[in-house]
Amino acid sequence: MAAGSAGCVESVADIIDSSTRIGWIGVSNYDTEPHRFEVQVERGGSTVHESSHGIRGKEDDMLFGEALECTWGDTEGTYRIRSRIDESEWVERSVADAIDGTVDCVTVRVSYGDLGDTLDVFIRENCDDVPTYDGGCAFANE
């Protein structure tokens, strides 16, 4: 069965999942060199968060990073996370493509150097552990 579209094409997972919230997003730099991380959060095709973060390089066993301010709020929707470091190519990940079915709340970690010389966006399927993180959205820290 084929369906026509007169505009933006979404994945099937994006269409099915429209009730997810993001409780926390953090950036981490595993590299020994400092990097500037840019992060964008889109909900339903509109940008709901945009920020830039200068993160120090890893020193010995000390890892540096920070949590993003929760400007996207507690609104449920179809989210995409975009990130890049040092004005490189954008890496994009759909929350709906990363989760298995419908999940109420996710956490996101954007990291560089954790798995080699790559920028990765990790999406976790729940917010149960958010209170152990610094920052995050108030609804996820209740």
Side-chain angles (χ1 to χ4, degrees), residues 17-22 75-77 79 95 99 103-106:
D17 181 68
S18 61
S19 62
T20 301
R21 299 181 297 169
I22 300 175
T75 303
E76 297 175 343
Y79 286 91
V95 170
I99 62 176
V103 175
D104 177 58
C105 186
V106 299

Side-chain angles (χ1 to χ4, degrees), residues 69-137:
E69 183 180 347
C70 182
T71 59
W72 56 89
D74 65 353
T75 303
E76 297 175 343
T78 302
Y79 286 91
R80 288 187 175 280
I81 312 300
R82 298 181 72 222
S83 186
R84 66 181 181 174
I85 61 163
D86 306 327
E87 299 184 7
S88 63
E89 294 293 316
W90 288 96
V91 172
E92 183 173 315
R93 187 107 192 259
S94 164
V95 170
D97 288 344
I99 62 176
D100 186 22
T102 301
V103 175
D104 177 58
C105 186
V106 299
T107 59
V108 178
R109 182 172 54 93
V110 176
S111 68
Y112 179 75
D114 187 17
L115 300 174
D117 292 335
T118 60
L119 179 67
D120 297 294
V121 178
F122 299 98
I123 299 172
R124 190 163 170 235
E125 291 190 2
N126 65 56
C127 291
D128 292 344
D129 296 331
V130 170
T132 64
Y133 295 122
D134 290 330
C137 297

